[in-house]
């Protein structure tokens, strides 16, 4: 699976955020660690529910998709 094209399960929106555009720190919902400012990552949300968007490490998103643990 390529880092450039993140897995996008049915019913989800996934947007890559390059490090140069990552202006804030976030908490990854999978590992609980910081997604620090300046780090490339993914923003995801269920279709039609942009208020539920979350910021993930790319690796953590791939692991969660494979395991079926997105909520």
């Amino acid at each position: 699976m390529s880092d450039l094209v993140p897995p996008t399960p049915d019913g989800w929106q996934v947007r890559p955020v390059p490090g140069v555009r990552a202006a804030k720190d976030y908490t990854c919902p999978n590992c609980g660690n910081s997604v620090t400012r300046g780090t490339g990552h993914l923003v995801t949300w269920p279709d039609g529910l942009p208020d539920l968007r979350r910021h993930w490490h790319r690796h953590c998103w791939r692991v969660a998709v494979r395991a079926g643990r997105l909520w």
Side-chain angles (χ1 to χ4, degrees):
M1 212 175 292
S2 169
D3 248 2
L4 300 177
V5 181
T8 305
D10 288 342
W12 286 84
Q13 297 294 314
V14 179
R15 299 290 183 266
V17 178
V20 297
R21 300 215 44 217
K24 293 173 44 179
D25 292 345
Y26 298 95
T27 301
C28 176
N30 189 57
C31 69
N33 292 319
S34 287
V35 178
T36 56
R37 177 179 47 224
T39 301
H41 63 280
L42 301 172
V43 176
T44 71
W45 63 94
D47 285 344
L49 299 170
D51 290 345
L52 296 181
R53 68 185 175 273
R54 298 292 179 262
H55 297 254
W56 297 69
H57 296 110
R58 290 176 179 270
H59 172 75
C60 287
W61 175 253
R62 287 191 310 270
V63 168
V65 168
R66 285 185 196 139
R69 292 181 289 119
L70 299 178
W71 283 99

